[in-house]
Amino acid sequence: MTNEELWKAVLGEMELSLSRANFTTWFKNTLIVSRDTNAVMVSVPNGFVKEWLENKFNKQILFSIRKLNPEVREVRYIIGQIKPETIKQDLSKMMLEKELEEKAPTDTDQDIDRVTHLNKKYSLDSFVVGSGNELAHAASQAILKNMGKLYNPLFLYGGVGLGKTHLVQSVGNKYALDNKDKRVLYTSAEKLTATVIEAIKNKTIEDLKNSYSHLDLLIIDDIQFIAGKEKTQEIIFTVFNELHTQNKQVVLTSDRLPKAIPALEERLTSRFEGGMIADVGLPDFETRLAILKLKCVEKNYTVNDEVLGYIATNIQKNVRELEGALNRVMAFAQIYNKLPEVKEVKNILNAYLSVPYRKTSPQFVLKAVADFFNISLPDLIKRSRKKEVVRPRQIAMYLLREEIKLSFPEIGLKLGGRDHSTVIHACEKIRKEESISEPLKQELLLIKERIYNSFEK
Ligand code: ADP
Ligand code: MG
């Protein structure tokens, strides 16, 4: 692969994750000028771009490069030769574009209804039903026919990226569409917590409770995030009781059962358990394939069945990843202007492929984290209070939980005999951050790559 092809592939990926204006701003006039086994040298037009690429996009760039060239360890940016006038002109244009960028609403914002906060893109028609989500889907259909009276609350739980949000948003959309006079509100527990804090500050907490109590359908996504948020729990308790007595529907989602949500008041746990609990599990092969086919239709992609089968066989744990893999393959196809074939798809998806648990061990996880953050293994494990090891240690705890499925006390033992509550706290913190922070997501992917690669050597 030539430097040009490699950079083209990186740009193709960056383009997917950025808006047009942003992409042009930061990647116009960049190219790979040289490369050896460990490092790639990228020429950029000016110091402004250099700084941004280093600070904001380096991980993502490195990540893309490593998918095609796993040995590469770093990317260096150098300011290339451009005439001074062009720089000046470009800079002011860039500043303008950047400003516009910050003001412009993102695509997704436009899909969100101002009143209900529902995202219009989710519908039951685009939800594929299979053995993993059959019960959750049936329960959703059932409450649509019998709002508030049948299962109240409906509590859906299951791992990340398995379609909980999709399902509850679809329920909200369908109900709102069929019942224009009814009041529907979708919120996430995090957003709700922020709203509660704001209302306390503005002394409008009674108004808030009041408006929530007049809803016909209240959907709270990722309710596990109210763990330890006492004031929010209190509001939810009051609102829940109010809605429940009036036979108004409440729908909740969580990544775990009510009992397993730490620091959740007992009275809330029992309320959450009082309706219908349905799990959203892993999709089986047929469902994964059906989802891929549906996404191809939605996005107008042409991909042959063999490739779809390959993706569906290899990505098993997360529908979001399944979709991500398909997008990645299509980005490749568009760059090279050809239909993807299995042998290429294999390379493209390397970083994505789920590796069975048994292929790693706690030792590999700890070593990968220590290496990644450039700290010593004893520092990571022992009771060192050095500030720079606190976060890597939390990440190690999280990965031991997610990748090896160790219990919280076991993780505590592995990391210098820490208490399991410390471990729970760390896992929660990183999990929560992972869902909102792109850099952390990338960091975790890179560490996982190390964990699994180290085993294959
Ligand atoms: P969760 O809320 O459980 O983390 P999401 O609802 O956000 O997961 O789903 C992740 C992505 O996968 C979304 O883009 C969603 O549309 C898609 N998805 C998940 N399950 C299905 C399904 N059964 N059919 C179609 N798309 C799905
Ligand atoms: Mg969700």
Side-chain angles (χ1 to χ4, degrees):
M1 189 174 242
T2 65
N3 287 341
E4 206 187 315
E5 285 170 342
L6 178 61
W7 194 237
K8 224 171 155 187
V10 172
L11 293 183
E13 292 211 352
M14 297 304 303
E15 196 171 3
L16 278 185
S17 64
L18 296 172
S19 70
R20 190 76 230 153
N22 221 339
F23 175 74
T24 320
T25 307
W26 305 119
F27 291 93
K28 197 172 56 186
N29 296 329
T30 59
L31 74 161
I32 294 182
V33 281
S34 68
R35 146 167 87 125
D36 59 30
T37 21
N38 290 314
V40 167
M41 191 85 84
V42 174
S43 160
V44 297
N46 55 56
F48 189 50
V49 172
K50 178 170 188 281
E51 207 176 294
W52 270 74
L53 294 191
E54 277 169 350
N55 296 329
K56 285 202 70 156
F57 298 117
N58 185 47
K59 283 220 175 83
Q60 226 176 320
I61 293 171
L62 183 60
F63 183 68
S64 305
I65 292 180
R66 288 178 48 123
K67 265 185 285 172
L68 298 159
N69 264 328
E71 353 39 271
V72 172
R73 290 278 168 261
E74 75 173 315
V75 183
R76 278 183 239 131
Y77 305 90
I78 50 158
I79 300 173
Q81 305 293 319
I82 304 183
K83 290 191 203 107
E85 308 91 281
T86 356
I87 295 182
K88 223 168 144 195
Q89 210 183 16
D90 266 18
L91 254 178
S92 53
K93 196 162 155 255
M94 264 189 250
M95 297 301 259
L96 182 71
E97 275 176 347
K98 188 167 160 284
E99 230 172 74
L100 284 176
E101 173 65 27
E102 276 162 8
K103 283 194 192 120
T106 58
D107 287 349
T108 48
D109 281 353
Q110 292 166 354
D111 291 332
I112 303 202
D113 186 281
R114 275 160 196 263
V115 179
T116 64
H117 298 174
L118 284 163
N119 187 327
K120 291 181 202 117
K121 78 171 190 186
Y122 293 109
S123 77
L124 284 171
D125 293 337
S126 63
F127 188 82
V128 177
V129 186
S131 56
N133 57 32
E134 217 169 16
L135 178 63
H137 179 259
S140 303
Q141 297 275 25
I143 59 162
L144 273 171
K145 293 206 186 85
N146 219 331
M147 274 287 165
K149 301 192 186 86
L150 192 59
Y151 307 126
N152 208 3
L154 173 62
F155 189 102
L156 301 185
Y157 80 98
V160 240
L162 295 181
K164 302 182 297 294
T165 297
H166 188 139
L167 200 48
V168 296
Q169 288 254 14
S170 309
V171 168
N173 278 325
K174 175 101 178 85
Y175 185 67
L177 191 72
D178 294 348
N179 302 276
K180 295 254 177 338
D181 55 325
K182 301 287 188 193
R183 294 186 212 193
V184 181
L185 182 73
Y186 167 89
T187 182
S188 68
E190 276 174 309
K191 193 145 172 254
L192 181 61
T193 304
T195 312
V196 168
I197 293 171
E198 191 62 25
I200 293 173
K201 210 174 79 197
N202 300 334
K203 303 196 164 45
T204 51
I205 203 83
E206 286 310 313
D207 299 342
L208 183 74
K209 270 194 225 172
N210 205 13
S211 73
Y212 281 27
S213 302
H214 284 91
L215 291 166
D216 295 283
L217 169 60
L218 170 63
I219 303 169
I220 310 178
D221 208 353
D222 288 319
I223 192 82
Q224 75 271 10
F225 289 132
I226 61 167
K229 306 281 177 355
E230 282 163 29
K231 193 68 194 172
T232 309
Q233 293 192 18
E234 187 194 315
I235 307 283
I236 292 181
F237 184 74
T238 318
V239 170
F240 181 89
N241 287 340
E242 192 65 35
L243 294 178
H244 195 263
T245 20
Q246 298 174 54
N247 286 334
K248 306 295 189 192
Q249 184 73 44
V250 178
V251 176
L252 307 165
T253 79
S254 164
D255 65 352
R256 67 205 76 181
L257 284 164
K259 265 202 189 55
I261 301 176
L264 183 66
E265 288 173 31
E266 176 54 35
R267 55 180 188 168
L268 269 183
T269 314
S270 68
R271 290 291 186 285
F272 292 171
E273 286 171 342
M276 161 88 157
I277 297 185
D279 74 317
V280 181
L282 294 177
D284 56 16
F285 176 78
E286 283 72 28
T287 313
R288 297 199 296 276
L289 195 59
I291 291 173
L292 285 173
K293 288 193 169 160
L294 182 85
K295 304 281 170 191
C296 283
V297 173
E298 280 175 3
K299 299 191 174 163
N300 221 352
Y301 290 164
T302 317
V303 192
N304 70 41
D305 281 359
E306 199 191 352
V307 166
L308 292 184
Y310 182 83
I311 302 176
T313 306
N314 287 287
I315 297 187
Q316 310 177 341
K317 289 191 213 145
N318 183 321
V319 181
R320 188 175 290 125
E321 270 179 21
L322 202 62
E323 236 184 305
L326 179 67
N327 290 338
R328 201 165 286 249
V329 167
M330 289 319 289
F332 174 90
Q334 275 154 15
I335 293 165
Y336 292 101
N337 199 16
K338 61 190 283 228
L339 294 180
E341 285 159 34
V342 169
K343 67 176 198 304
E344 292 152 350
V345 171
K346 246 181 210 168
N347 287 331
I348 303 169
L349 297 191
N350 254 338
Y352 253 98
L353 296 187
S354 30
V355 180
Y357 305 140
R358 62 188 155 73
K359 284 190 90 180
T360 189
S361 76
Q363 263 50 51
F364 276 101
V365 172
L366 294 173
K367 172 121 190 18
V369 173
D371 285 353
F372 184 84
F373 290 105
N374 206 10
I375 54 179
S376 76
L377 199 54
D379 263 356
L380 179 69
I381 297 172
K382 297 279 152 47
R383 290 194 147 267
S384 154
R385 283 185 199 279
K386 281 189 208 156
K387 223 175 125 203
E388 61 272 26
V389 302
V390 173
R391 187 170 169 81
R393 196 180 282 142
Q394 289 175 333
I395 289 181
M397 291 176 174
Y398 177 65
L399 289 170
L400 286 173
R401 179 75 186 163
E402 293 294 304
E403 301 301 306
I404 320 265
K405 313 282 173 204
L406 291 187
S407 72
F408 294 126
E410 277 171 325
I411 296 172
L413 271 179
K414 289 248 178 290
L415 285 155
R418 289 185 163 71
D419 191 75
H420 74 279
S421 63
T422 311
V423 180
I424 293 176
H425 171 77
C427 293
E428 283 310 319
K429 182 165 176 272
I430 303 296
R431 186 197 312 282
K432 192 163 162 182
E433 228 185 286
E434 185 188 14
S435 64
I436 48 175
S437 151
E438 198 51 43
L440 176 63
K441 239 181 254 173
Q442 300 292 352
E443 247 176 4
L444 289 170
L445 271 174
L446 285 172
I447 300 173
K448 282 186 217 170
E449 253 193 324
R450 280 173 190 241
I451 296 172
Y452 295 115
N453 282 340
S454 63
F455 228 86
E456 266 137 31
K457 272 173 202 144

